[in-house]
């Protein structure tokens, strides 16, 4: 497997503008909500002196990373019937025998050996949709 192409693909998915801003907005809302649940005293006298900035940032950063990770995982789901966003050679993880060349915009097919149990993973990525 060409690890550089695969890494570039994952980074491209993680740094898409829409993904980044959506993850940032959701994680700020979640992070601030969690901080207010555990430290409601910050809200009412508005005592900024008691706020631990590192803890607040970490409470926002963790959901942000979880959201980015879940987006990357969901977009690299090569199930039969899905439309491919890459031009790649896929390998079946179920039987370890079949390979399938898929193009951008093409429907992903079932493995001829495994049928419904097909689990594709990228063996080599040639290009991806931008």
């Amino acid at each position: 497997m060409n690890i550089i192409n695969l890494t570039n693909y994952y980074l491209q998915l993680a740094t898409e503008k829409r993904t980044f801003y959506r993850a940032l907005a959701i994680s700020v809302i979640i992070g601030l909500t969690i901080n207010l649940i555990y430290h409601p005293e910050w809200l009412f006298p508005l005592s900024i002196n008691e706020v631990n900035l590192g803890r607040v940032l970490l409470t926002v950063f963790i959901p942000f990373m979880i959201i980015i990770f879940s987006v990357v995982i969901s977009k690299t789901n090569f199930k039969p019937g899905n439309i491919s966003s890459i031009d790649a050679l896929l390998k079946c993880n179920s039987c370890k025998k079949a390979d399938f060349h898929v193009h951008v915009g093409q429907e992903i097919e079932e493995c001829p050996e495994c049928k419904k149990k097909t689990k594709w993973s990228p063996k080599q990525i040639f290009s991806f949709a931008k």
Side-chain angles (χ1 to χ4, degrees):
M1 180 187 309
N2 188 343
I3 195 73
I4 294 171
N5 278 351
L6 192 57
T7 303
N8 286 341
Y9 175 60
Y10 290 145
L11 284 174
Q12 188 254 345
L13 289 176
T15 57
E16 285 178 344
K17 194 175 191 178
R18 183 177 172 163
T19 301
F20 178 82
Y21 287 123
R22 182 180 291 168
L24 185 62
I26 293 170
S27 63
V28 165
I29 292 168
I30 291 170
L32 293 178
T33 303
I34 290 171
N35 276 302
L36 289 176
I37 288 171
Y38 288 108
H39 303 287
E41 67 275 5
W42 292 350
L43 185 62
F44 291 106
L46 226 55
S47 56
I48 301 298
N49 298 336
E50 297 177 18
V51 175
N52 182 339
L53 189 59
R55 187 176 290 167
V56 171
L57 291 176
L58 193 60
T59 310
V60 171
F61 181 72
I62 298 298
F64 177 79
M65 293 308 296
I66 291 170
I67 293 166
I68 293 290
F69 183 75
S70 64
V71 166
V72 170
I73 293 299
S74 71
K75 287 188 176 182
T76 57
N77 187 1
F78 300 108
K79 287 186 178 177
N82 289 356
I83 303 299
S84 176
S85 61
I86 62 173
D87 180 19
L89 183 63
L90 303 178
K91 177 117 182 125
C92 181
N93 284 341
S94 296
C95 67
K96 306 274 190 226
K97 295 176 186 175
D99 288 344
F100 175 63
H101 191 121
V102 67
H103 300 283
V104 174
Q106 179 183 353
E107 184 175 329
I108 299 171
E109 299 174 7
E110 289 182 344
C111 170
E113 301 284 325
C114 303
K115 303 286 184 212
K116 299 280 182 202
K117 297 179 184 178
T118 303
K119 293 181 183 175
W120 295 114
S121 67
K123 184 175 180 181
Q124 185 174 7
I125 296 177
F126 305 111
S127 66
F128 39 88
K130 299 203 183 212

